[in-house]
Structure formats: C-alpha cells, structure tokens
Amino acid sequence: MTRKPLPLLSTGHSGGSRSAMTCLYRCGNACDHPVPNESGNEYFGDMARAEVSRRGVLQAAGAGAIVLGLAGAGVAGAPEAASAASGEAESAANGWRPGRGPQPLTFGAVEPNTADALTVAAGYAQSVVIRWGDAVVPGAPAFDAYQQSPAAQEKQFGYNNDFVAILPLDHSDRHALLVCNHEYTNEELMFPGFTGLANLTVEQQKTAIAAHGMSVVEIERVLGTGQWRPVTHGRRAYNRRITALSTKFRLTGPVAGTASVRTAADPAGRTVIGTLNNCSGGVTPWGTVLSGEENFNQYFVGADGAPEEAKDSLDRYGISTAVRYPSGSRMWDKADPRFDLTVTPNEANRFGWIVEVDPFDPDSTPRKHTALGRFKHEAANIVIAPDGRVAVYMGDDERFDYLYKFVSHKRYRPGDKRHNLTLLESGDLYVAKFRYTSAADIDGSGRLPGDGAFDGSGVWLPLVRDNRSMVEGMTVEQVLVHTRLAADKIGPTKMDRPEDVEANPVTGRIYVALTNNTQRGTADKAPADEVNPRNVNKHGHILELVEDGGNHAGTTFTWSIPIVCGDPADPATYFAGYDKTKVSRISCPDNVMFDRSGNLWISTDGNAFGTNDGLFAVPLSGPEAGHLKQFLTVPKGAETCGPALTGDGESLFVAVQHPGEISGASWDRPASVWPDGDHAKPGIAVVWHPDGRSIGR
C-alpha cells in the first residue's frame, strides 16, 4: 500500500505538552479552565516541625507485606474454578504463575524518536491485533468511513482504546478474552469532510456516542508464537460492545435509588444508559473488569440553567455553569436531551463512577458502584487484605486532586463468584493525607532533601465508615455523589494528577503514577511539598506506598518517591539512586503494570520532550533498581495505553490511543497513517520475542 505523505502540523499548546486537539477532545480543554479544586486545604506547613523519624520510616518500609491476592491492569488471571468458557470461573487472585524470583531486564533501550510507527526493542516482533472499526459482534459490517452509523459502530471496535485486560479462557495461554475501554472520540479524525462540531449530524453524533464504552473480544494465539489475533469463526459468544448509546447499567450501593440520581426517564434512580470517558481500569480476583469514568464532565451542556443548589458541585467537577455551551462542546443535547443539564440536572451525577463488567457473562448487566465515590476515576485496582476484605486504590486525575482507597465490608471468598460480585457494594471510603520528614528542605526544584530521600508517613482519612458519613454537614449520599466537595472539607493532600494506582504482586507495595502539574507553585496555587516536590511539574513522578503491617485495610502507611521523571541530565530527577548516565529519559507517567518479577512498567501520556510517548520498564529492587529503560515508542501523536501481559509473560499488549492527534490534522489530512498506511486509527498491538522468551528478557 502506498503510504500517504504526512503534512507538517502544529503540536504546540499553552496548556502543556499535549496538542491542542488532544486537550479539546480528551478532557474538554481542562488546562484552559480554572482548577476545579479551590479549597484551602493545609499542606502540612503547620506539621513541618513534627517531622517523622527517617529511621522509623525506613524500618516500616522494610516490613514485609502480607498479600493474599492482587489484581490490576495487565494481570491476566487463570481460571480458578470450573471452565472459564462456561462463564462461571473466576480469575486466580493474582493472575501470575509463580516466578523464579527477580529476573533482569536485558533488552536494549529504544531511542526517543518521532517516527510514525510502533518502534519496539531490538529482537522483538509486533503486529496489530484489532483497530477502530474492526468487527466485534459477529455480522458487523465492514468498516467504511463514509458510511458510518450508530448501528454499525455498536458492533465494531470503538474509538481511542485505553485500558486493556487479557483474561484466559483456558489453561494453555492460547485462547483469551481481550477487554478494552474506549475513552473518547475525536470527530475531526473520524469523519471525512469534518467542518466543525456544530455541523455534525445527529447520526454522526450518535455514532460518536456509540464509539465510547468498552469492547470484549475473543482472541487466539498464533500457533508457536507470542502473536495474537481475533477469533473470526464460530459463535464468539462472549464478544460484546458496551456503549454510551444504549447499554443499560445498574447502580449499586448507598446512592442507588436516591434523589441525587433520579431522572424523569429513570424515576427509580437505578438504571443508567451508558458509560463515558472510560480511562484505565483493573481486573478483580473474581474475574471481572473494573473501568474508571474520568472526564465525563465535557459531555454535558446547559449547566448555566441547572438548579442553583447544584452549581457548586457542577463547578467542582469541571462542568461550566457560566455558559450553555462551553468551548469545544460536542453539543450532544441535539442527539439526546439527557446531556442537557437544564432539562436533566441529575444526569451528570450518574457518571464519574467505577464500572464493573463481567466479560464471562455476556448477558450480565454492567454495574456502577456508588460506594467507591464519584470523581474523575483513572483506574481501580484491588488488593486482598490479610483479613479477606478487598482494598481498592483509586486516583482522581485532575491537578491538585486526591488519592482514594475503598475497603469492603464483606470478605473475599475464593471460588464464590456470586458472593464476590457483591464486595464493592458496601464499604469504607478514604482519602490520603501525607506527612513529611523533610518539609523545610523542599524548595520546589525537585532536588533531594538533606536526608537523601523524599519520604514520610500518611493516614487514610475516612469519608464514609460503617455506613456513616464522617464529613460534618453531609449525608452518605452527599459524600458519595459529591466526593470531591466532601474530601475538600477534611483536608487531604492535593496531588499532581494521581492516575493509575497498582500493587506490586511480589511485595504488595502500592505504586501511583503522578502524571504532571504545570500549575504547581504558580500564582495562588499550592506550592511544592515533599510528596509533590517540583513546582511547574511538567514531567511527573512515581510514588510508592507501604501500608503499615502489610495491612491494606488499615489506615496508616509510609511512602517514598523512587522515581522523579524527566531528563536524567537534569539534577531535578531521581531514579532510585541508580547511575543516571545509563537511564532513559521519561516524561508524564500514566498507566503502570508489573511483570511476574515485580519490575514496574510505565506508559506515558503527553511526553514533554516533544518526542513520541512510550513504554518503559524499571526494576524496583536489587543492584539494578532504578535502571529505567524505554521498551517501545508509539506512533506520531499517539499515547501509550494498556499495557497488559499474558500470564506466561510472553506477549505484551499495548493500546495505541489517538495516533495522529495533532492540531490541524483531519481524516482527509492525516498527521499519522498508523496502522494501515492510509488514515490514523486507534488500535491494539501485541509485541513478542520470536524465540519465546519472556517480555523484557
């Protein structure tokens, strides 16, 4: 195929390292709007004198964690009981087969580049598994950009794939379910002849709505290799599109049925149509998939006409109450009045939750769990505590927002899926507050304090506990629907965009990707502190939490920062003390995962160096701790999402999101032609080594 020449297009944007086009469609120009969190939370200035003992921190951090089970992004769970093909089985608690202890990362680092290609480490092979428009439901029509329709899109692979989970259907690592989120649409890159959002037809708007949501696809391994492809024969009974257009979701937990979520179309307040802006997610120990509804605010209009008592919350969630149509609005109210908050003021309260989907039961109704709180969820990942309760870690992906944890009331029962499906319906919700050892040494430069480490202790502040609100003046319903406002009242620590939160399956320690915050320390904004140590933080960092006593259901922890991202030549970077002349540069960590040896893999979003985003790997222990290397780069204009490993560690799936999303690009004038050489299409690729070795070796 003759590849189209790529035009020179602008990538600059005042809001940060992303293109203006990405900022518009991904998050509704959040960078150009006021920071939603205007609360005056303390930053421990008054606690700087009460510094925690450095020796005590290290002793606590060295304590071994007791981990009964882990599940997270990229964990491929083996069936636990009965046959997964029956839809009855659960995934194993941690998904990984026993490893042989720490294994080195021997691949050669990929150099930064701006190529319009998926570039992988030397010696590895790659192929595209599935792309936007490919058939998901048997009988789906062939993709035709000029004949798109809602009916077709509801049977085809959706747009802008993000989170990826690989769930085995047997014990041979040859047959699995691929589950993927479809975060958002970019109508400029979807529709030929695009002339503006206001000019889209209702049919096109409904097609875009249908392109949101999730896909479940049966895949099979190509015999004798690490390559995978969709199954194209037989019933494919599990294959399913979950969309924002027509899929019914059931609300669970304390908010279900309350006044906050009732609408004229749903007076019972228990059934929601669709899921929006699904970013990252997680895999539960019982074999279901969790998905986070993130920038849902951008789809709603008419908040200027919403009831006055609702406007504080709408503003706190980034929904403009000043004008009917905020800049860049998709104007979906033309296609469906539920997106008009003047008409349906409670509809926005029905989004911003953690969604749970059972891929093994295609007839099941997906659920939105209100007990986990409502905010801009990046992901949700589970650890089973020593007493059997499950702890769910979650980040609110906004500048100066918070890190959360949910602990179930009920206990996990291995093999009892019916029971385990109720675990997220009732529990305690917490938000994190950090204490520091070297508060007086933090000057905003990112340089290490005098004791040689960014570290301290912390506490999980209760928002809801034992079915009671812990926030003065707010009911349980109000706390869970307006979780941001509730958290503001009790003073947690404002963070630099907490995104994915994952547990290390070897140690049980928790790792948080803090992507960036270019407004840290600017006029009238919170200055740097020890857990967010740089002002104008454009590169981000990785945070490690160690729950005291290895108890993930507990309320105290210690913390440290093993990686301060950026150019290793910059003194304001840190890689666990490793020789920085041997380290790859990294910017804007987003999703994270672990391999069986406990090595941390980090995908990036919005690389501030001007080169393509990528996937990196770094050991966290032993002599190579901190030796971060780049494993792959994604095509021009794209973001690295997923990633996910198969249970045997031999196949790596990566979601290539928004290739060619560069200001000035369009379907007719693409800035990328990945993956087919004609037009940019988001898709999922798989990487493997031809000799069958594990990824990274």
Side-chain angles (χ1 to χ4, degrees), residues 309-327:
E309 62 270 19
K311 288 187 176 180
D312 283 347
S313 180
L314 291 170
D315 284 330
R316 184 63 178 87
Y317 282 81
I319 300 175
S320 174
T321 60
V323 295
R324 176 169 177 79
Y325 292 109
S327 65

Side-chain angles (χ1 to χ4, degrees), residues 472-549:
E472 185 176 356
M474 299 183 75
T475 65
V476 169
E477 174 188 349
Q478 290 170 330
V479 169
L480 295 177
V481 173
H482 312 297
T483 307
R484 283 182 166 184
L485 289 172
D488 292 343
K489 285 176 171 285
I490 62 174
T493 304
K494 294 182 177 181
M495 306 296 286
D496 286 354
R497 290 186 58 204
E499 297 214 28
D500 205 359
V501 188
E502 298 271 355
N504 186 326
V506 175
T507 68
R509 298 183 178 191
I510 306 300
Y511 291 82
V512 185
L514 294 155
T515 296
N516 57 38
N517 186 352
T518 56
Q519 294 197 21
R520 171 75 63 178
T522 59
D524 301 321
K525 300 297 190 298
D529 52 40
E530 194 166 358
V531 75
N532 304 280
R534 284 187 298 199
N535 288 329
V536 193
N537 178 15
K538 62 182 179 179
H539 295 301
H541 53 288
I542 300 293
L543 172 67
E544 176 190 86
L545 301 184
V546 181
E547 298 279 20
D548 287 350

Side-chain angles (χ1 to χ4, degrees), residues 197-219:
L197 288 168
N199 299 325
L200 292 174
T201 66
V202 168
E203 183 85 346
Q204 288 173 319
Q205 287 182 325
K206 288 185 175 181
T207 300
I209 296 171
H212 287 68
M214 303 174 71
S215 289
V216 180
V217 184
E218 282 192 57
I219 58 173

Side-chain angles (χ1 to χ4, degrees), residues 579-596:
D579 180 357
K580 293 199 294 182
T581 64
K582 301 177 181 178
V583 173
S584 296
R585 69 185 192 185
I586 181 173
S587 178
C588 303
D590 188 357
N591 299 136
V592 294
M593 73 166 189
F594 288 91
D595 60 27
R596 289 182 293 171

Side-chain angles (χ1 to χ4, degrees), residues 131-147:
R131 61 182 64 71
W132 169 50
D134 285 353
V136 170
V137 178
F143 177 72
D144 182 346
Y146 297 89
Q147 298 292 327

Side-chain angles (χ1 to χ4, degrees), residues 195-244:
T195 58
L197 288 168
N199 299 325
L200 292 174
T201 66
V202 168
E203 183 85 346
Q204 288 173 319
Q205 287 182 325
K206 288 185 175 181
T207 300
I209 296 171
H212 287 68
M214 303 174 71
S215 289
V216 180
V217 184
E218 282 192 57
I219 58 173
E220 61 186 1
R221 196 166 186 163
V222 177
L223 187 63
T225 74
Q227 182 180 4
W228 292 74
R229 62 193 175 196
V231 174
T232 57
H233 53 277
R235 291 181 59 232
R236 289 159 282 169
Y238 301 114
N239 283 25
R240 184 182 189 186
R241 272 303 320 281
I242 294 166
T243 77

